[in-house]
């Protein structure tokens, strides 16, 4: 039945809903791209998707494998040099939402995509920064999407690749960074938002069937919950249909659904 959904679908739909129609969104590859394109195919047809490689107003029919995927340029309203994307659009204050993934995130929405372990002798070397530090620093607001677990939601990052709210409170403002910073972390279990004043991320909504114990067990810090925690609205039939069609087209084109990591 269409009403049945899995945790990945719930996460993607919940993230897509955070993107307003007509907003200008700087999109990361992977889960952010899947959620942003789902938004474009459902409630936000006028959203303007911008990718780091230069496409503006991209409308891919299948999810891109990378920022260099020709599908992005071929479906875009225009393509400009990467330098223009960053200097004029991003640093010029023209990006409403930065949509990012992460390998690790901490309680203040700081992101690590660089290394696991010691920087000079890492256990794992991750893909790196790309444009994420600039997006996190200059977009008017930032959305973060990733699967939740002890390895991804950690008390202390091995390396801060992209700054969220720094050490909490007004630290971001003191760093001189524009914009609100991260306004939500959407996972396969819940939605977290920064607490007023401290800017520590707390649980404000839990997905259907998820318990507080599950959230606590899959968080590497002492996670706190808002006074009134809501239940995330389950995916609608049209949201699931659009998502599954997008994944099916992507699988047919690339042999994989895209955006699963």
């Amino acid at each position: 039945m269409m009403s049945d959904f899995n945790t990945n679908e719930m996460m993607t739909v919940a993230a897509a809903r955070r993107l307003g129609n007509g907003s200008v969104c700087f999109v990361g590859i992977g889960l952010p791209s899947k959620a942003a394109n789902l938004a474009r195919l459902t409630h936000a047809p006028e959203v303007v998707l911008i990718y780091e490689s230069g496409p503006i107003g991209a409308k891919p029919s299948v999810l891109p494998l990378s920022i260099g995927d020709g599908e992005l340029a071929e479906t875009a309203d225009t393509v400009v040099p990467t330098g223009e994307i960053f200097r004029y659009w991003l640093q010029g204050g023209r990006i409403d939402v930065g949509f990012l993934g992460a390998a690790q995130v901490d309680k203040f929405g700081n992101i690590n995509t660089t290394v696991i372990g010691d920087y000079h002798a890492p256990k794992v070397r991750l893909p790196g920064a790309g444009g994420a530090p600039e997006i996190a620093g200059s977009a008017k607001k930032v959305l973060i999407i990733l699967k939740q677990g002890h390895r991804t939601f950690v008390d202390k990052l091995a390396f801060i690749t992209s700054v969220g709210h720094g050490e909490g409170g007004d630290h971001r403002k003191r760093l001189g960074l524009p914009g609100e910073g991260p306004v939500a972390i959407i996972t396969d279990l819940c939605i977290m938002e920064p607490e007023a004043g401290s800017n520590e991320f707390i649980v404000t909504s839990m997905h259907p069937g998820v318990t507080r114990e599950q959230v606590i067990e899959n968080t590497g810090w002492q996670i706190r919950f808002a006074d009134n925690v809501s239940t995330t609205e389950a995916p609608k039939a049209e949201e699931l249909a659009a998502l599954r069609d997008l994944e099916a087209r992507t699988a047919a084109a690339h042999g994989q659904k895209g955006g699963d990591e």
Side-chain angles (χ1 to χ4, degrees):
M1 290 176 59
M2 185 61 76
S3 59
D4 295 330
F5 57 90
N6 61 42
T7 56
N8 287 342
E9 290 173 330
M10 179 72 260
M11 172 174 60
T12 305
V13 168
R17 290 170 178 165
R18 307 286 300 206
L19 200 54
N21 194 26
S23 59
V24 178
C25 179
F26 202 139
V27 192
I29 292 296
L31 289 172
S33 185
K34 181 182 286 191
N37 279 285
L38 177 60
R40 180 180 61 80
L41 294 168
T42 51
H43 70 276
E46 300 302 316
V47 69
V48 179
L49 301 186
I50 293 179
Y51 288 80
E52 181 177 334
S53 51
I56 297 174
K59 304 170 188 66
S61 60
V62 299
L63 293 170
L65 292 173
S66 71
I67 58 169
D69 196 314
E71 177 79 7
L72 295 176
E74 290 169 5
T75 62
D77 295 327
T78 187
V79 180
V80 301
T82 297
E84 183 175 324
I85 287 288
F86 283 91
R87 184 66 191 97
Y88 179 82
W89 286 88
L90 182 59
Q91 294 170 332
R94 295 171 172 83
I95 301 296
D96 298 317
V97 182
F99 217 145
L100 298 174
Q104 290 183 327
V105 68
D106 68 11
K107 67 179 70 177
F108 296 118
N110 301 302
I111 290 172
N112 174 23
T113 54
T114 304
V115 295
I116 303 295
D118 181 77
Y119 180 80
H120 299 287
K123 295 178 182 176
V124 178
R125 187 167 293 283
L126 299 169
E134 288 77 14
I135 297 169
S138 296
K140 292 178 183 176
K141 59 179 63 175
V142 175
L143 297 173
I144 301 170
I145 177 173
L146 75 163
K147 296 179 184 179
Q148 192 165 346
H150 261 278
R151 291 184 177 182
T152 52
F153 282 69
V154 298
D155 188 50
K156 184 174 176 57
L157 296 177
F159 188 93
I160 297 179
T161 310
S162 307
V163 175
H165 293 289
E167 296 171 1
D170 66 347
H171 190 217
R172 181 182 176 89
K173 184 177 180 181
R174 287 187 282 114
L175 290 172
L177 295 173
E180 296 180 48
V183 297
I185 300 174
I186 303 99
T187 82
D188 50 343
L189 300 178
C190 66
I191 297 172
M192 301 179 185
E193 296 175 288
E195 180 185 51
S198 72
N199 277 322
E200 178 180 332
F201 275 86
I202 61 174
V203 177
T204 56
S205 180
M206 292 196 300
H207 302 333
V210 173
T211 65
R212 291 195 177 208
E213 287 71 27
Q214 282 178 279
V215 175
I216 292 168
E217 287 171 6
N218 286 281
T219 310
W221 67 82
Q222 195 168 342
I223 187 68
R224 295 190 294 118
F225 295 79
D227 292 337
N228 297 299
V229 177
S230 62
T231 300
T232 312
E233 180 187 359
K236 298 174 183 176
E238 56 268 29
E239 292 172 320
L240 284 176
L243 174 58
R244 291 170 183 176
D245 284 348
L246 177 61
E247 290 181 334
R249 289 195 302 272
T250 302
H254 300 314
Q256 61 187 63
K257 290 182 180 180
D260 291 327
E261 298 300 332

